[in-house]
Amino acid sequence: RAEALRARLGQLELALGLLDASSLQPLPLVEQRQADIVLFDENLLDGVSGSDLAGELQMRGYRNVSCVLTASSTAVIESIAIKPGVDLVLNKGCPLAEMKRQLHSALTQKRLAQAGQEARAHPPQLGEHAHDNGALRQRTRTNKGIEEE
């Protein structure tokens, strides 16, 4: 199983954006870009599962959506869905329009979560935002309603 996983590392490097898709040669750092979505079949012939590859991909720094396709039962789908690195599990019989909708939703949620994490990791420093020069706006009531002074 470990040997089969090593044999698939090239595919993972491609998803991580480390290799050129046409030549499979390493890309310079400035040209590297991770795939937005990676689809895995759960039951691969060499004994490695798609969910295992999704977990390995996550351990290697993949930050986007990993989706596993399977024709298994609902119980198996639920067990795959909780594995590390798996963002979405779809039944192979899923209509393409529904697959597209779910993949788009998963990618949007992932990007929103990442943006929130980055904002919490790098909060704005004092002085980074425009200020009102310390002036406080006072509100006064007139017969026309509330006006700012």
Side-chain angles (χ1 to χ4, degrees), residues 37-41 65-69 85-90 103:
I37 299 170
V38 179
L39 299 175
F40 295 104
D41 190 327
V65 174
S66 290
C67 176
V68 177
L69 302 173
V86 175
D87 298 300
L88 182 63
V89 181
L90 295 174
L103 288 168

Side-chain angles (χ1 to χ4, degrees), residues 39-55:
L39 299 175
F40 295 104
D41 190 327
E42 177 61 5
N43 299 308
L44 302 172
L45 296 176
D46 54 11
V48 175
S49 70
S51 55
D52 290 340
L53 290 174

